Amino acid sequence: MRICLDISPAVHRRAGLGRYAQELTEALLYLDKENEYVAFYNGPRGVVPQPPLDRLPRLTVGLSNKPWRMSILLAHHLGLNLDRLFPGVDLLHSTDHLLPPLRRVRTVFTVHDLVFLFFPEYHLPLNRWYLTLMMPRFIRRADAVITVSECSRRDLVRLYRLDQARIHVIYEGIDDHFRPVEDREVLAAVRRQYGLPDGFILYVGTIEPRKNLTTLLKAYQTLKGQGLESKLVIVGKKGWLYQDFFRRLRELGLEGQVIFPGYVPDDDLPAIYSAAQVFAFPSLYEGFGLPPLEAMACGAPVVCSNTSSLPEVVGDAAILVNPRDVGEIVAAIERVIADSTLRDAMRAKGIAQAAKFSWERAARETLEVYANVQGV
């Protein structure tokens, strides 16, 4: 087969979707020596993928980012097909919640989450409108649908009445470099580089309302009032609608107590995870949830939400809490920090749980979907 992978999220560094596109593509290229791969990504020619994706031949359709979205919308509504834009391609795998209408080319469509339906107030209006209108068309047009969790599969069946036989649950993986860092010099260097204290509570992810960080701030304020000396470290870029979070930070008087390293390269994340006393992830909804898995792989005790896909990802290795209950979050963090025996047990369980997930396994299962779609 000649397989075209839409790696747009990886090229544009789009957090979770970008990690999925990058890591899955790398694993497919490593494992699969029989099929031919080409890459598609929207955007201007000056944008270049990270290695090794930069070695993939690029299929160019001559459209920049925003016109591409609207071209897909118009083509669907006018009953057109865009096969001519994918010459010689047998199968297209869309990783970006965008699927062009194709007739001769087989299609696989990955659905990461349906957050735009569950929390529409946390989505930009234009993006929410687009996904609400087009998602039903995408999933019904695709020859096969991949979801990254059982939670997302259930959501698709319930909300779109999709045939379960067309949905394949393939968990995301975790890169091998996410492992405990015990070298004191490496840990000290990372602390110096990012201004990290000896003891800290860690969050990694985008700063946006769905991540529920204002509730984490309230929990941290309570912990400070109880005498906790640890700082709160929030690693990640500003996402959409982040302004309310920083307003609450000021109102709670926590500006000097919360550290913002900003975006941190993947190479430095394992040491930061390893140095944390506890990793807190109070997100309201996740299609999968890579940060808790990365934290566990690095030996950090994890406190996370008991909602959406997170319980199936962390298993019994984390302490699960109601993300809207400040008291539960406070009690869980306090318990982990105070109990070294518990931390050791959670560390061992977390490493074992994270070992169940790999990009190689995800790639093998994805190849099976490709073969089924093509009738191979």
Side-chain angles (χ1 to χ4, degrees), residues 215-256:
T215 302
L216 182 59
L217 287 180
K218 294 174 186 175
Y220 181 62
Q221 183 190 45
T222 301
L223 288 164
K224 293 295 291 182
Q226 294 174 354
L228 181 73
E229 296 182 358
S230 303
K231 300 284 188 180
L232 174 61
V233 175
I234 294 180
V235 171
K237 296 186 294 186
K238 295 176 181 176
W240 48 40
L241 305 176
Y242 65 85
Q243 295 85 353
D244 183 62
F245 167 77
F246 287 98
R247 179 180 61 81
R248 292 294 292 151
L249 180 74
R250 292 189 297 270
E251 290 175 353
L252 294 171
L254 295 174
E255 287 179 285

Side-chain angles (χ1 to χ4, degrees), residues 66-103:
K66 291 183 180 178
W68 175 240
R69 289 169 59 93
M70 296 311 296
S71 295
I72 290 178
L73 184 151
L74 290 173
H76 274 278
H77 279 273
L78 295 175
L80 305 178
N81 82 83
L82 301 181
D83 282 335
R84 62 184 177 80
L85 299 180
F86 298 86
V89 170
D90 298 302
L91 183 146
L92 170 68
H93 184 174
S94 168
T95 66
D96 196 25
H97 289 174
L98 289 171
L99 185 68
L102 304 170
R103 292 177 184 169

